[in-house]
Amino acid sequence: MIQRWNPAVIGPPVGQYSHLASAPADHELLFIAGQIGSRLDGTMAADAESQTRQAHENLAALLAAAGGGPEHLVKMFTMVAGTEHLPAVRAGRVELFEKWFPDKDWPAHSLIVVAGLAAPHILIEVEAVAAIPRG
């Protein structure tokens, strides 16, 4: 079972994440490339909130294809193109994270604001590392 925790040696997290996460030896590490708000047909979701939802749906689809799910996420890394999109990104994750992590046992997560991503219409990108049981 993936272990996630927040030792009392530093302050508590300021968001929906854990400071530490580890994977057992009988799990295969899966490194997931950055996912953006593109749909299966190649069209892009319209705004930062819908791109956030779509990027996470893409992430969930890749996890399922590898035999896992959001509960197997160890680490996430989110890039947002501009601080003006942060409220929409957070709004896009709230309901999703409540569904994925109902016990608030969130994976380790980093968020960075960048000047831009691969194209001007891409407002968010999410990378992840998962640990899939293979025992």
Side-chain angles (χ1 to χ4, degrees):
M1 180 174 182
I2 296 169
Q3 182 182 5
R4 302 176 184 105
W5 71 105
N6 295 299
V9 297
I10 64 171
V14 296
Q16 293 175 304
Y17 65 92
S18 297
H19 282 304
L20 295 171
S22 66
D26 63 344
H27 284 51
E28 176 183 7
L29 289 181
L30 181 67
F31 298 87
I32 303 169
Q35 297 303 302
I36 59 174
S38 62
R39 300 179 189 98
L40 187 58
D41 66 3
T43 61
M44 181 67 72
D47 56 30
E49 187 170 339
S50 60
Q51 284 189 27
T52 299
R53 286 191 193 102
Q54 185 63 53
H56 286 85
E57 286 177 24
N58 295 345
L59 180 61
L62 291 170
L63 287 165
E71 69 276 13
H72 298 115
L73 289 168
V74 178
K75 171 74 172 147
M76 297 176 71
F77 178 66
T78 301
M79 294 160 276
V80 180
T83 57
E84 67 274 18
H85 300 297
L86 286 173
V89 168
R90 288 187 178 114
R93 286 191 333 197
V94 167
E95 184 177 321
L96 178 77
F97 271 34
E98 287 176 3
K99 178 179 154 190
W100 281 8
F101 312 109
D103 56 0
K104 299 186 181 351
D105 186 24
W106 297 302
H109 183 230
S110 298
L111 183 145
I112 185 170
V113 175
V114 296
L117 291 163
H121 63 282
I122 300 173
L123 305 176
I124 180 172
E125 186 170 342
V126 182
E127 293 182 3
V129 177
I132 310 295
R134 299 294 188 215

